[in-house]
Amino acid sequence: MSQTITDIIASIQAGQTSARAEVETALAKAREHESYHALLHLTEERALQRADEIDARLKAGEKVGELAGVPFVVKDNFLAFGAPTTAASKLLENFDAPVQATVVEKLEAAGAICIGKSNLDAFAHGGSTENSAYGVTHNAFDTTRVAGGSSGGSAVVTALDIVPFALGSDTGGSIRQPASFNGIFGYKPTYGMVSRYGVVAMASSTDCMGCFARTADDVARVMAIMAGQDDKDMTTLPNYFVPTAPSKINAKIGVIKETMGDGVDDDVRHATEQYIASLRAAGHTVDEVSMPTLPLALAMYYIIVPAEVSSNLARYDGIRYGRRASGVQTLAELYGRSRDEGFVTENKRRIMIGSYVLSSGFFDAYYQQAQKARTLLMGEFSGLFNEYDFLLSPTAPTVAFGIGENTSDPVKMYLSDVMTVPPSLAGLPAISVPAGENAAGLPIGVQLIGPMKSDAALIALSGSMEVHRG
Ligand code: GLN
């Protein structure tokens, strides 16, 4: 039976189970589902040790945290103890984190226990987990299909009920899109709500840390611990996140017209329309709205993000940490060969595009233009939020695609991000909510987007509309 965080906490408190038993069960399930290749490493030794500590404290009647004994998984671009942090790259193959990410520390302080590190597209570049240097993750519903990405591993461990929640990073959809491909909740907070300290940087102006869970209530529980200002991340906001109960009626919701037209599969459109009908039935007002610059968002994203990627990945030079090429004669050769061996093709493509759009002569034509367009996009969002409480779109234009289907065509692959990148560029909170499935039983997600800092209300709304799978 699928267990939520609430269930696990209740049984631990009632003495029906122990932290150790929960961790052992999660590890056993992880092994049973090894063929999905959702996890790169188990942090077994550390997890069992922490479980025993928590059990001892419970037994002694000491105060334990709110998530005491709850097992979870972190994407392998979060620095965490107990296993290497590879970002699914060869570059960081043997990299042992000297510190833990702030969010991992916070969750551990609350008593949650990390049992493993999940697969991703190397350095989080991708939307299918096919760019992992260690092999693809399989979809929880159809193993011939992709898990989505880049946080595909975290989505699959949650969907398979290995753990009740898992962490992901979302730069342009990496939590939301795999959540929709695997029938679970995937939430990206307002930019700045959660510390990014100790997570391998992708694009600093859009990177956000969030989570996957099987209920909205569990999302809120986890985010209440992850949220808050961090001295080690200057972009974090003072904590404002307080989980709320769903407001049953009367939200004004705008469906973004540009996300419901050509390019969206019929089954996805149909499920989204059904979801809209249930919102109306629940007493919400739903209108169609237009965002004329939305179709340009993907082009903006694939200029701005590679620019930031090329700068953030410059630190991997084979000198300070990570892979160092051997048998080289010169320093330039050392840099070049270490980077060539350590990065996958998609990393290199983004470094090349980023360096190009930032180079003198092209900076004005591409990077600057993209930033101007981004300002227009943000303006359209704020205009709509003067009138609407939330906006809605499908999470992705298709259900999970086949493994290998889009690998030869990067632009086709990028199209999977068309719905998720607009809120990322504007720093807005967004959540992918399970909204049923197509005739073949493949899950479909709907994306709800809120204004800045509306996180608690957004999660509550998504919870009030939970679609229970048969
Ligand atoms: N699929 C998107 C990309 O490839 C999003 C990645 C992410 O959010 N990390 O850039």
Side-chain angles (χ1 to χ4, degrees):
M1 203 188 85
S2 161
Q3 283 212 99
T4 63
I5 296 177
T6 317
D7 299 333
I8 296 176
I9 293 173
S11 5
I12 291 183
Q13 294 292 345
Q16 290 155 348
T17 180
S18 63
R20 187 172 180 106
E22 289 304 314
V23 166
E24 278 174 348
T25 306
L27 289 166
K29 283 189 202 161
R31 292 213 167 84
E32 188 188 318
H33 294 301
E34 222 161 47
S35 59
Y36 287 88
H37 194 50
L39 288 156
L40 292 178
H41 338 272
L42 292 176
T43 47
E44 178 161 8
E45 208 183 301
R46 185 179 157 82
L48 289 171
Q49 199 184 332
R50 294 202 59 240
D52 288 343
E53 278 163 26
I54 287 169
D55 285 333
R57 287 173 58 195
L58 278 165
K59 229 175 163 179
E62 281 176 40
K63 202 175 164 324
V64 289
E66 293 151 74
L67 296 184
V70 179
F72 72 105
V73 158
V74 302
K75 188 178 180 179
D76 201 24
N77 58 347
F78 286 67
L79 272 57
F81 297 150
T85 298
T86 68
S89 71
K90 293 283 181 201
L91 208 150
L92 295 176
E93 190 166 16
N94 300 310
F95 179 66
D96 275 316
V99 293
Q100 297 206 99
T102 296
V103 289
V104 173
E105 287 281 315
K106 284 186 160 186
L107 288 164
E108 285 199 345
I113 302 172
C114 173
I115 63 131
K117 312 232 23 220
S118 61
N119 199 14
L120 63 148
D121 292 291
F123 288 100
H125 301 174
S128 67
T129 320
E130 291 169 292
N131 296 331
S132 166
Y134 302 102
V136 69
T137 295
H138 300 266
N139 186 280
F141 287 75
D142 176 348
T143 54
T144 68
R145 292 175 187 264
V146 299
S150 62
S151 320
S154 279
V156 169
V157 292
T158 310
L160 292 176
D161 192 22
I162 292 172
V163 282
F165 78 96
L167 303 193
S169 59
D170 188 313
T171 300
S174 277
I175 295 176
R176 291 161 283 157
Q177 183 254 33
S180 91
F181 283 7
N182 291 282
I184 52 175
F185 286 81
Y187 160 71
K188 164 207 124 52
T190 295
Y191 181 80
M193 182 178 108
V194 176
S195 169
R196 287 113 36 107
Y197 177 74
V199 184
V200 176
M202 179 175 168
S204 305
S205 78
T206 67
D207 283 352
C208 289
M209 305 308 139
C211 74
F212 297 90
R214 293 187 299 274
T215 66
D217 192 44
D218 278 359
V219 170
R221 273 173 177 267
V222 172
M223 295 317 297
I225 289 159
M226 287 171 65
Q229 199 154 23
D230 181 6
D231 289 346
K232 299 184 186 124
D233 177 353
M234 299 308 280
T235 62
T236 47
L237 301 165
N239 196 12
Y240 60 84
F241 184 82
V242 182
T244 52
S247 68
K248 291 268 180 277
I249 46 163
N250 273 341
K252 247 190 118 186
I253 300 164
V255 178
I256 307 171
K257 182 173 94 183
E258 288 76 6
T259 64
M260 292 288 278
D262 289 346
V264 179
D265 283 0
D266 286 343
D267 46 5
V268 172
R269 192 180 305 107
H270 180 70
T272 310
E273 279 161 359
Q274 297 258 286
Y275 189 83
I276 293 168
S278 53
L279 280 169
R280 289 200 173 110
H284 302 292
T285 308
V286 189
D287 300 333
E288 192 178 85
V289 299
S290 173
M291 290 191 62
T293 61
L294 193 122
L296 300 174
L298 201 63
M300 299 170 207
Y301 177 88
Y302 277 101
I303 291 172
I304 294 165
V305 166
E308 296 184 23
V309 159
S310 70
S311 154
N312 273 328
L313 295 188
R315 72 189 72 177
Y316 301 105
D317 53 9
I319 306 284
R320 283 164 290 188
Y321 40 71
R323 190 184 190 92
R324 178 177 298 184
S326 55
V328 292
Q329 304 296 326
T330 64
L331 187 61
E333 223 185 315
L334 174 66
Y335 291 158
R337 285 269 307 282
S338 302
R339 287 166 71 79
D340 183 33
E341 290 170 9
F343 288 129
V344 301
T345 304
E346 184 62 25
N347 305 144
K348 294 174 192 171
R349 181 178 292 125
R350 293 189 190 209
I351 293 168
M352 299 285 280
I353 295 172
S355 309
Y356 178 81
V357 300
L358 287 176
S359 59
S360 66
F362 297 106
F363 181 86
D364 294 354
Y366 294 103
Y367 185 74
Q368 195 110 311
Q369 286 298 106
Q371 291 290 21
K372 284 184 188 163
R374 181 186 197 174
T375 304
L376 292 176
L377 180 81
M378 288 165 131
E380 283 182 9
F381 270 122
S382 29
L384 286 171
F385 283 128
N386 285 334
E387 230 178 299
Y388 291 90
D389 301 308
F390 302 102
L391 297 174
L392 181 152
S393 75
T395 304
T398 66
V399 294
F401 42 89
I403 291 175
E405 198 178 314
N406 291 344
T407 36
S408 57
D409 186 346
V411 174
K412 217 170 144 206
M413 189 70 96
Y414 297 165
L415 278 173
S416 188
D417 309 327
V418 66
M419 320 284 188
T420 48
V421 299
S424 293
L425 288 167
L428 301 171
I431 187 162
S432 180
V433 189
E437 55 202 36
N438 72 3
L442 294 167
I444 294 168
V446 161
Q447 174 176 243
L448 295 169
I449 309 165
M452 287 291 211
K453 299 193 187 179
S454 67
D455 303 74
L458 180 70
I459 296 170
L461 173 70
S462 77
S464 72
M465 300 300 300
E466 275 181 48
V467 173
H468 295 284
R469 309 180 63 87

